[in-house]
Amino acid sequence: QASYIDNRTNLHQPSLGASIDPATFTSPSTPNRIFAATWRGVVGARTFAEAQYSRKDWQLRNAGGTSAAIGDSPFLTRGVLGVPGNLQYNGPYFDSTDPESRNNRQLTASVSHLLSSRGFGSHELKGGVEYFTSTRVGGNSQSLSGYVFQSDYKVGADGRPVLDASGRLIPRFVPGTSRLQTWSPLRGAAIDVNTASLYVNDHWSAGPRLTFDVGARYERVRSDATGDIAGANGNTIVPRMAAAYDVTADGRTVLQATYAHYAGKYNDVQFSRNSNVGNADRVTGAYTGPAGEGRDFAAGFDPANYQTFTGTFPTANVLFDSDLHSPLTRELTLALGRDIGKSAWARATFVKRHATGFVEDFITMADGQTHVSRNGVDLGLFDNQVYRNSDLPRRDYEAVEFESAYRATSKLAVNAAWTLQLQDDGTFEGESSSGPAQPSIIGDYPEIYVASRNFPDGRLDDFQRHKVRVWASYGIDLKRFGRVDLAPFYRFNSGRTYSLVANGVPLSAQQIARNPGYARLPTSQSVFFGQRGSQSFEGYQLVDLAATYSVPVWQSLRPWVKAEVLNLLDNQKLVSWNTAITADMAGPKDENGLPVNYIKAASFGNASAPSSYPRPRPGLDGGRTFMFAAGVRF
C-alpha cells in the first residue's frame, strides 16, 4: 500500500494567540506533504511480517513581520502597569524572512509469530525495529527588526486601553520597568533527532481465564545540530506489563491490570536549547529613561537607553549534561468490566501516573559562569544555564474513569463516560499551547527564590474534578423515504483551576542580600498568593444535537444532509475570566520581603477571550452555533 497527501494551508491571522492588535496580523502558508508505503505479508504458516517507510515535509512560510523598522517591532506586555501580562501588540511577532521546516522520516519493520503448547498455553510473539528522524530547520527569529519590546500600553481609569489619534495602542516607557530584547538569529540552523528502537512483546494466553502481555522497548536517541552540537543522549528501556482475569469464567466479568513506563517525546525545541536551532542569541536590557509614551517617543525606541542585565547565548552559556534524556512516566491502571444482560456493559478504571527525570535547567553558583563576547562586543559575565534530568519538579495524576453503554432497542443506543480526577498536582505546569517542554525556575538561583512563593505545590491548571459525557443515537427508518438519525450529546465540565499570581514583582532587599555572587540576578519574579491552583473557575453544562437525513436513490447510492446545533440551550455562562493581579508593594511583607497582599486588576473577573464562554463563537461571546453539511455515500 502507498499513500501521498499534499495539504497546503494559507491563513490570515494574528501572530500569536495572545495578539490583541490588528497590526499583528500576518498571512502565513503551511505546505505539508506526507508519503507512506507499507508492505505486509505472510511469511510462513505461523509468521506474519510488515514494514513501512514514511516521510513528512512541513514548512511555515511568511509568518511574521515584513518591516525592519524598529518602530514596527512587536511589543509584549509585562502585566505591571494595570494590564494583563504577555499580551502582544504594535507589530507582527516573528520574522517573515526566516521560514521554518519540521520534517520527519520513519523506517520500521516487525515480525509476529504464533506459538502454542499444551503446557504453556498460546503465545503471540512480536518483535520489531524502528528508526525515526525528526528534523527542524530555522533560527526562530522573533522579529524582523531584531527587537522585541516588553512594555505595557496605556489604559484609562476604567482599565480600558487608551488609543492614539490613529487608533493604535499607546506603549508606555517606564524606567526600570520597560525592557528591550535584542535577538540575533542564525537563519537556516538545523537539528536532527535520531531515535533507534527495538521492542518485543508476548501476548500469552495462560489458560481459559488468564492472559498476560509482557514486553519491553529499548530506545537509543541521539541528536546533532548545526555546528556539530550534541544534545540528546538517551538509552532507555521501558517495560510494558498487563494481565486480564476472567472472574466468572464466562467472559462477562473481567479484571485487568497494567503497569508500564513511558519515555517522553524528545521534543526538538527542548533538546536544541544548547544550539542556535530555534534559539537566537538574546540580550535583554532594562529601560533607563526618560519616561514617556507613544509610538513616536524616540527615546523609548532607542536601544542605547536600555542597559543589559541578562542574556541567553545557546552556544556559550547553555550546557547539557552528557547523558540528557527525556522524562519518564510510570503508570498503573486497575480496571473491572462487566456485561450487564445482553445489551449493556460497564467498566471502571483507576489510573495513577508519576513523572520522573524532568529535563530541568539549573542556574547555580556550582554550575559556573561564562564570559561572553559577540561581534567584537564584550557583553560581560553571564551565569551558565545547565540542563540535566531532575526529580525536583513534581507532577502526579490519579483518576477513576467510568464508562458504560446500553443498546435499549435496535434503534436506540446510549453511551456515558465520567472521569473523576482525584489528583492532578505538581510544582509547575511544564508547557503551554505556544511553549512546549518548558523548564521551570525550580533549579534556578536556589539562594534567591522562595519555593512557597515562586513555585508552590498544588493543583495544576488542567485539574478538573468532574468530566461527564452522555450521548445517544436514535435511528428512524422511513423505508423508501430514507432514514433519519438523531444524536443528542450532553456534557458537564466542572470548573478548571487558576492561581493568584502576580508577574513582574521586583526582587526584595532580603532576596538580593542573599546573592552569593551571581553575575546577573533576575530583575523580577512571579509571586504566588496561596497554593498553586487555589482558585476555581465555574463549571458548566452543554447540550448539542445532530440530525442526519439520508435517502436511497439507486442501490448503495445515498445522498445525505446533516444539521448540527452546538449549545442547543444557548448557555452563555461566564466560565473563565481575567485573573490578572498585581502585588501590593505598599502593604505588609513576609520574612523574605515579599508582599502578602495583592490588588485585583480592573479587568479581573471579566471575559478575556472567546474561550471565557462554554461554546465560543467568533467574537467575545458565546451562544448557539449552527453547522450544515451535505454529501453522497455510495
Side-chain angles (χ1 to χ4, degrees):
Q1 293 180 328
S3 65
Y4 176 76
I5 300 174
D6 188 345
N7 175 21
R8 302 166 183 262
T9 304
N10 296 310
L11 302 169
H12 185 63
Q13 62 183 24
S15 305
L16 303 175
S19 299
I20 59 171
D21 186 342
T24 67
F25 268 72
T26 61
S27 299
S29 62
T30 54
N32 183 23
R33 299 180 180 89
I34 302 175
F35 170 77
T38 305
W39 172 86
R40 299 180 180 88
V42 176
V43 180
R46 293 174 175 265
T47 305
F48 178 79
E50 56 184 331
Q52 176 176 286
Y53 171 78
S54 66
R55 179 186 181 107
K56 184 188 79 168
D57 296 288
W58 181 93
Q59 282 192 324
L60 176 62
R61 301 173 179 170
N62 304 320
T66 57
S67 171
I70 192 171
D72 294 326
S73 300
F75 275 66
L76 295 173
T77 61
R78 295 202 60 214
V80 179
L81 305 176
V83 302
N86 296 315
L87 298 179
Q88 196 259 316
Y89 69 103
N90 191 69
Y93 210 85
F94 300 122
D95 179 355
S96 62
T97 67
D98 185 25
E100 185 173 351
S101 297
R102 298 185 185 183
N103 308 324
N104 64 57
R105 300 184 303 278
Q106 180 205 44
L107 180 62
T108 181
S110 65
V111 176
S112 300
H113 181 72
L114 301 178
L115 183 67
S116 63
S117 67
R118 180 169 297 181
F120 293 97
S122 64
H123 298 261
E124 181 180 342
L125 302 171
K126 183 174 183 177
V129 298
E130 179 186 34
Y131 192 81
F132 185 85
T133 298
S134 175
T135 301
R136 183 183 182 187
V137 180
N140 196 25
S141 176
Q142 304 291 289
S143 167
L144 181 55
S145 69
Y147 300 103
V148 175
F149 290 85
Q150 294 177 293
S151 198
D152 295 336
Y153 52 83
K154 186 176 182 179
V155 295
D158 59 356
R160 298 178 64 85
V162 177
L163 305 181
D164 63 17
S166 59
R168 302 288 298 275
L169 292 169
I170 302 173
R172 296 179 62 187
F173 299 95
V174 180
T177 298
S178 299
R179 296 178 178 178
L180 175 63
Q181 296 178 342
T182 303
W183 296 85
S184 303
L186 178 60
R187 294 173 175 82
I191 184 174
D192 287 331
V193 181
N194 301 303
T195 304
S197 303
L198 301 172
Y199 63 91
V200 62
N201 189 79
D202 179 15
H203 178 71
W204 175 24
S205 297
R209 302 174 67 173
L210 185 62
T211 60
F212 295 96
D213 282 275
V214 180
R217 180 183 178 94
Y218 166 73
E219 291 185 352
R220 179 184 185 274
V221 183
R222 302 290 187 270
S223 69
D224 180 67
T226 296
D228 292 328
I229 297 174
N233 187 17
N235 293 279
T236 308
I237 298 177
V238 288
R240 309 284 172 85
M241 295 175 285
Y245 178 68
D246 186 350
V247 178
T248 53
D250 59 2
R252 296 176 61 83
T253 304
V254 178
L255 180 66
Q256 297 173 309
T258 70
Y259 179 76
H261 292 182
Y262 298 97
K265 177 184 177 182
Y266 282 80
N267 189 290
D268 51 31
V269 173
Q270 189 173 43
F271 285 90
S272 63
R273 287 200 170 108
N274 64 338
S275 75
N276 285 127
V277 183
N279 297 293
D281 287 358
R282 173 188 57 81
V283 295
T284 302
Y287 187 55
T288 58
E293 62 183 36
R295 299 183 69 249
D296 57 353
F297 183 64
F301 286 93
D302 186 353
N305 290 329
Y306 293 81
Q307 182 177 1
T308 298
F309 67 88
T310 189
T312 298
F313 310 94
T315 60
N317 72 324
V318 179
L319 310 171
F320 279 7
D321 256 6
S322 59
D323 59 349
L324 191 67
H325 57 81
S326 69
L328 189 71
T329 298
R330 295 176 171 87
E331 180 185 82
L332 170 69
T333 71
L334 300 171
L336 179 64
R338 169 69 180 176
D339 285 342
I340 304 171
K342 296 182 179 181
S343 56
W345 61 267
R347 180 170 62 193
T349 304
F350 170 76
V351 181
K352 180 181 179 65
R353 300 188 187 106
H354 175 65
T356 61
F358 294 91
V359 178
E360 184 59 78
D361 71 323
F362 289 81
I363 303 175
T364 69
M365 290 300 299
D367 289 311
Q369 298 166 337
T370 298
H371 202 104
V372 178
S373 297
R374 286 290 186 270
N375 301 320
V377 179
D378 187 347
L379 297 173
L381 201 62
F382 287 84
D383 299 295
N384 289 335
Q385 184 180 20
V386 182
Y387 283 82
R388 57 175 65 100
N389 294 105
S390 173
D391 289 338
L392 286 178
R394 188 179 78 84
R395 287 179 70 95
D396 289 291
Y397 176 87
E398 290 184 10
V400 180
E401 300 172 355
F402 301 95
E403 301 170 272
S404 183
Y406 173 54
R407 178 164 286 280
T409 67
S410 60
K411 298 179 179 180
L412 176 64
V414 181
N415 298 266
W418 172 30
T419 299
L420 172 63
Q421 281 193 14
L422 307 175
Q423 182 184 36
D424 189 4
D425 295 352
T427 52
F428 83 119
E429 304 297 343
E431 59 187 4
S432 65
S433 59
S434 59
Q438 295 176 340
S440 73
I441 63 169
I442 292 175
D444 303 340
Y445 309 103
E447 302 87 353
I448 308 299
Y449 286 131
V450 181
S452 61
R453 302 303 308 275
N454 297 119
F455 47 91
D457 202 346
R459 301 183 299 179
L460 300 175
D461 62 7
D462 56 354
F463 176 86
Q464 189 176 51
R465 180 69 73 185
H466 301 285
K467 185 176 182 178
V468 179
R469 301 290 185 266
V470 181
W471 66 101
S473 61
Y474 183 72
I476 304 173
D477 190 355
L478 303 177
K479 305 301 181 182
R480 64 188 181 91
F481 295 105
R483 177 183 176 88
V484 175
D485 291 285
L486 301 176
F489 197 112
Y490 167 82
R491 67 191 79 208
F492 169 75
N493 292 318
S494 60
R496 303 278 289 270
T497 63
Y498 68 94
S499 303
L500 293 172
V501 55
N503 299 313
V505 179
L507 295 183
S508 68
Q510 291 90 324
Q511 289 175 297
I512 295 173
R514 296 197 297 260
N515 181 13
Y518 289 107
R520 300 167 189 269
L521 288 179
T523 59
S524 65
Q525 60 192 316
S526 296
V527 174
F528 284 75
F529 295 84
Q531 289 187 319
R532 184 181 301 273
S534 61
Q535 309 299 305
S536 294
F537 292 119
E538 291 289 336
Y540 62 92
Q541 304 176 69
L542 282 179
V543 176
D544 302 332
L545 179 64
T548 303
Y549 173 68
S550 61
V551 60
V553 175
W554 178 72
Q555 293 187 354
S556 62
L557 182 65
R558 283 177 172 263
W560 58 269
V561 293
K562 182 179 182 179
E564 291 183 78
V565 183
L566 307 181
N567 193 9
L568 179 67
L569 302 181
D570 197 24
N571 184 348
Q572 299 188 41
K573 182 179 182 180
L574 186 67
V575 298
S576 67
W577 47 82
N578 186 298
T579 62
I581 62 172
T582 57
D584 182 5
M585 302 304 296
K589 309 292 194 302
D590 64 13
E591 66 276 12
N592 293 290
L594 298 174
V596 298
N597 296 329
Y598 62 88
I599 302 170
K600 293 182 179 179
S603 55
F604 188 98
N606 296 329
S608 57
S611 57
S612 296
Y613 299 92
R615 175 69 70 180
R617 297 183 301 184
L620 195 62
D621 65 355
R624 295 188 186 94
T625 301
F626 298 89
M627 301 194 299
F628 300 91
V632 177
R633 294 188 179 94
F634 56 92

